Structure formats: C-alpha cells, structure tokens
Amino acid sequence: MGEKAAPTELVMTRLLPRSFGREAFGLDPANYHAARPAYPEPVWQALRERAGLAAGIEMLEIGAGTGLATEPLLLAKPKRLVAVEPDARLAAFLGARLVDPRLEIVVASFEDADFGRASFDLVAGATVFHWLDAPRSLRLIHRVLRPGGAVALWWNIFGDPRRRDVFHEATSNLFAGGPTTPSGGGTIKLPYGLDVDARVADLRAGRFTPDQPLVLDWTLTLDRPGVRRLYTTYSNVAALPTDARDALLDGLEDVAEREFGGVVTRNMSTALYIARRD
C-alpha cells in the first residue's frame, strides 16, 4: 500500500472538513488498531444496563474502523451487527480480523447507505460522530431504530482542557499552523465529546430522550515509540504532507525522550451518551 501526501488544501485549511474522516485513518490500519487504547469497561457495562446491549438484538455500528468497538459489541452475541465503514482499507482490515457470521460489513458512509426503517434495536458510534453532520445523522438514526431502540455515542478523548497536561504544553508549538480536527482534540476549546450540553441538545433535537451522560477521567502512559504510534493515528497529523508529518512525529519523540525520560502520561476522558428513540 503506497503512501501519498495529503492534498495541499487540507493542510492549508485550519479546520479539516468532515469528509476527511472518510479517509483519514486507513493509511496503516494495523498501527491504528494497535496504537489506539481500548474503551474502558464502564462503557460496556453502561451499554448493557442502559442501552439494551444483549444477546439476540440487531445492531448498527457507524464508522467501525478497525473494530475497536466492533469486537466488544460482538461479545454480546447479537443476532446481527451491521458495521458500516467508508474507508475500504479499514473495512478490509476489519473483515480479515473479525470473522463472525453475525457481522456484516458495509463499505459506505453512513449518510449515503440505506438501511431501511425500524431495522435495529441499537445504533452505536465510537469516536466517530464528530465527523458527521449531527442533525442529519440523528434523523437517519431515528429512522433505522425500532420504537424504544437506543442510540449510543461515545468518545475516547485525547487530552482534557479541564486538567493540566504537561506533555501537551511542551509540544503544542509543534502543531502551530497545522490543521485542526472537528473533534476539538489538542485545542484550548472544549472537545466535541466533552461538550455535554451540546451533545444532549443534539439528541433532544433529534427526537431522542437522553439518559444521564457518563464521563470517565483516566490516564494513558506511553513510551517514546508509543507516542509516535499514537500520534500517527491523529487526523490532523495524517493530513500533513509526508515530510511535515515525519518532522512533527520526530519532534514529539524528541520531547518525550529529552523532557520526560521516554515515558509520557496523557490525560484521557471517555464520554458516553445514550438516548432512546421517542
């Protein structure tokens, strides 16, 4: 799989367009899968207790990627899990890694696919919904859910403006002038997944009844190579031309080694939103 530089207009645009999420993460699916941390266990407990995650249900997962959420969802033994993923490279990786008769992989964007009406009991989206148009996508989710069905949207959020993050402070200059992401990660503003009032308002406007959001704070420890592997998966890093991307990653590793002794701790948050179809 040959590497190609991102289009120049993406680098020059301060905010990456939502459409970039359809191609941002497929350059190296194996690294993405290995570098991204798992979702904390309380997420799965809440899905079981409050979103109806159980054996025999029919589920739709939006933006399945490499299957970081797909695999735990399958452990619930659903009757059917339809995983929609717009990047063919990620979909191929997912299909090769998870062979399960209950899993159906659809290579398409969620907004463009047709899943019929009242087809699912649960619609899930893990660290993906900031790449979608929320009002339109929630209308589509409402359409495909059965009455009383649930939508669950959650994020692993890298960095938390509510807590001091010394590695972020030491490396923020490396990102100056580069693109930013709709997730809000790495900026001083409130990340998309942590903007609780806005996410709950979106769900209410989409004719859903939200449950109490769950926000978990935790930390992630990385060695110097782990820093490079993780940051390689960030959309604002993937959008850079090859030379600029390599220079940024080299700089991150250098700071990790020189200022942190090769061990970096990052603030992490996981935010989960569950709502029922009205």
Side-chain angles (χ1 to χ4, degrees), residues 43-182:
V43 169
W44 308 110
Q45 181 179 346
L47 291 175
R48 291 189 295 267
E49 294 176 353
R50 298 196 271 144
L53 179 62
I57 69 169
E58 295 187 273
M59 289 188 282
L60 172 66
E61 183 188 1
I62 301 170
T66 63
L68 290 169
T70 315
E71 189 167 10
L73 289 172
L74 283 171
L75 291 177
K77 299 182 179 180
K79 178 181 179 181
R80 179 171 68 126
L81 171 55
V82 178
V84 58
E85 169 53 52
D87 191 317
R89 299 165 299 180
L90 294 176
F93 182 88
L94 174 62
R97 200 177 67 80
L98 295 180
V99 180
D100 190 308
R102 299 165 299 180
L103 177 63
E104 176 186 347
I105 300 172
V106 176
V107 183
S109 68
F110 172 65
E111 301 98 322
D112 297 334
D114 183 3
F115 297 105
R117 291 182 178 272
S119 303
F120 299 98
D121 305 295
L122 173 63
V123 174
T127 315
V128 68
F129 211 68
H130 54 281
W131 292 110
L132 280 64
D133 178 86
R136 180 186 176 198
S137 296
L138 287 169
R139 287 195 298 271
L140 294 173
I141 291 171
H142 194 278
R143 177 185 179 187
V144 303
L145 274 175
R146 294 179 176 125
V151 55
L153 306 172
W154 66 95
W155 285 263
N156 268 351
I157 299 152
F158 300 89
D160 179 353
R162 303 169 302 173
R163 295 176 284 162
R164 188 181 180 197
D165 191 319
V166 291
F167 184 71
H168 176 67
E169 293 173 7
T171 57
S172 60
N173 64 299
L174 299 175
F175 295 87
T180 58
T181 167

Side-chain angles (χ1 to χ4, degrees), residues 32-40 68 127 156-158 218 220 222 230 233-234 268:
Y32 184 96
H33 189 75
R36 289 273 175 147
Y39 296 103
L68 290 169
T127 315
N156 268 351
I157 299 152
F158 300 89
W218 49 290
L220 177 67
L222 302 163
L230 177 62
T233 71
Y234 288 6
M268 296 287 297

